[in-house]
Amino acid sequence: MKITRISLWHVPLTSHTAYHMAEGKTCSTVESVVLALDTDAGLTGWGEVCPIPHYLPAYARGVVPAVEEMAPVLLGAEPVGPEAVMAKLDHWLQGHPYAKSAIDIALWDLTAQAANLPLHALLGGRRQADMPLYHSITCVAPEEMARIAREAQESGITQFQVKLGADLDWLADVARLRLVREAVGDGPLVYGDWNCGATSLDASRVGRAVADLDIMLEQPCATIEDCARVRAACGLPMKLDENAHDTASLLAGHAAGVMDAVAIKLSKFGGLSASRRARDLCLHLGARMCIEDTWGSDITTAALLHLGASTDPLRVLNVCDLSHYVSPRLAPEAPQRRHGRIAPPEGPGLGVRPDREALGAPASVIG
């Protein structure tokens, strides 16, 4: 089997609710890039990457030129055995993990289809039927965030990510955490996320003010060193997100004591291949994992669900159904949340097949 054609689409994804984060970061409509790898065997592998503006060094309109640069390696390549192909791409074009992520997902989709197996069977075998979801709460007025948390809890959600820092008011952040904690009661996981947007001083003040509560903090500051200062000041458990993107950063976060949990996001690491290696390292380090991606719809959601399903349930803190937060759905038959949990798609490969006609005219066709 050989890759014969590469097609890419730009697909605007609109959030059902405008999503506010620290430092004025907002997700309203974000462009996702969908990729299809066609083969001479009649199989098509699908990939997707959706960079959030101002979140990481990634740019949606940079994906197509990067893929076009890598096309000489991809066209004519045998897709079965994704890591061998990705090694050639890394030699051809250094960096650009976000652009490579969509390619890697599509290669795994093709490999699993060729084996006539669901993708999770190739990533370690199915370890759990379904996985817990978290619900991310946009940073608005504390009382409204508590209402959103109660509504999500009524649907079965037991984990709540509370976005902080949008108004640069540390006392308002304290209120957000306290009111959400009160709204959902004892037991459910509540964690406050600044997305690198706080100083160590302000995050420490918030942490100390809620230290009497069962709360976890997520990536308060832009560096592992500043996150460690916050941890030392307040003693609360901590999750890394933006700073965790490769083997070296995972080891550094673990050594600094700020990686009780970690976000394994596919496009941060460069796709399923690199994320699987990160997953296996975290199994050794003992960190609980949030297996997800930066943003996107049904294709990347399917990929992360297969990785989550093949991971030790004791180490999977949660997964994220990104497609739940946006429209349009790229594969309407894809799994949806049920009672606060979600299962991977059924069938060979990713188990989702987007409709080309619904995607519209491609931004690029190569081959």
Side-chain angles (χ1 to χ4, degrees):
M1 180 165 60
K2 305 295 182 184
I3 297 171
T4 57
R5 184 172 59 186
I6 308 163
S7 303
L8 299 111
W9 294 262
H10 294 134
V11 181
L13 299 178
T14 300
S15 302
H16 300 311
T17 301
Y19 199 65
H20 302 291
M21 297 174 281
E23 295 187 315
K25 300 171 187 174
T26 300
C27 278
S28 180
T29 298
V30 178
E31 192 168 82
S32 193
V33 180
V34 173
L35 174 144
L37 299 180
D38 293 318
T39 68
D40 58 5
L43 299 179
T44 298
W46 291 92
E48 179 186 11
V49 62
C50 186
I52 297 177
H54 320 300
Y55 172 67
L56 289 171
Y59 172 49
R61 289 286 167 145
V63 176
V64 170
V67 173
E68 290 174 341
E69 179 70 20
M70 293 182 279
V73 178
L74 286 170
L75 292 173
E78 164 61 70
V80 174
E83 287 164 313
V85 181
M86 296 307 296
K88 293 177 182 177
L89 293 179
D90 287 338
H91 180 74
W92 185 268
L93 178 67
Q94 294 185 33
H96 303 277
Y98 67 100
K100 292 173 180 173
S101 181
I103 296 171
D104 187 65
I105 291 169
L107 291 171
W108 278 102
D109 188 19
L110 283 169
T111 298
Q113 288 183 59
N116 197 30
L117 291 170
L119 180 52
H120 55 71
L122 304 186
L123 297 175
R126 191 162 191 168
R127 302 292 298 275
Q128 49 189 323
D130 57 16
M131 296 146 288
L133 292 159
Y134 74 89
H135 190 78
S136 188
I137 304 173
T138 181
C139 189
V140 289
E143 296 79 9
E144 174 64 8
M145 295 176 76
R147 185 199 65 78
I148 294 170
R150 283 192 295 269
E151 185 178 82
Q153 188 178 38
E154 289 171 359
S155 73
I157 295 290
T158 60
Q159 301 187 33
F160 305 87
Q161 182 192 62
V162 180
K163 291 296 184 182
L164 303 175
D167 51 10
L168 302 177
D169 183 346
W170 74 274
L171 286 172
D173 287 338
V174 171
R176 290 178 174 107
L177 290 170
R178 285 196 168 275
L179 289 182
V180 170
R181 176 82 273 170
E182 178 183 337
V184 302
D186 295 335
L189 177 65
V190 174
Y191 51 106
D193 180 18
W194 282 275
N195 290 106
C196 298
T199 63
S200 58
L201 172 61
D202 286 342
S204 295
R205 295 174 85 183
V206 173
R208 286 175 171 172
V210 299
D212 59 311
L213 300 177
D214 175 18
I215 295 288
M216 180 170 70
L217 303 181
E218 177 177 358
Q219 192 73 54
C221 307
T223 67
I224 287 175
E225 293 78 10
D226 277 350
C227 289
R229 277 190 275 276
V230 176
R231 173 66 180 265
C234 66
L236 292 173
M238 190 167 290
K239 173 189 169 187
L240 276 189
D241 179 5
E242 287 88 343
N243 282 152
H245 53 82
D246 58 14
T247 297
S249 58
L250 292 173
L251 292 172
H254 175 71
V258 294
M259 207 170 77
D260 300 288
V262 61
I264 304 296
K265 293 184 175 177
L266 304 185
S267 57
K268 280 196 308 179
F269 287 87
L272 281 165
S273 296
S275 296
R276 182 175 68 159
R277 293 192 293 271
R279 184 267 312 264
D280 292 345
L281 176 58
C282 288
L283 292 175
H284 171 71
L285 297 176
R288 298 287 300 277
M289 287 171 274
C290 306
I291 297 177
E292 48 182 330
D293 207 345
T294 52
W295 207 239
S297 187
D298 294 295
I299 302 169
T300 194
T301 296
L304 69 89
L305 292 179
H306 282 288
L307 182 61
S310 66
T311 303
D312 182 353
L314 294 177
R315 298 297 175 83
V316 176
L317 185 62
N318 54 49
V319 296
C320 185
D321 55 344
L322 296 165
S323 51
H324 172 83
Y325 295 90
V326 299
S327 63
R329 297 292 297 262
L330 302 183
E333 78 284 359
Q336 300 193 40
R337 60 172 63 182
R338 186 180 299 274
H339 307 304
R341 301 181 70 86
I342 193 167
E346 301 294 336
L350 286 173
V352 295
R353 295 289 171 263
D355 182 346
R356 288 178 186 258
E357 291 187 7
L359 291 173
S364 179
V365 179
I366 312 161

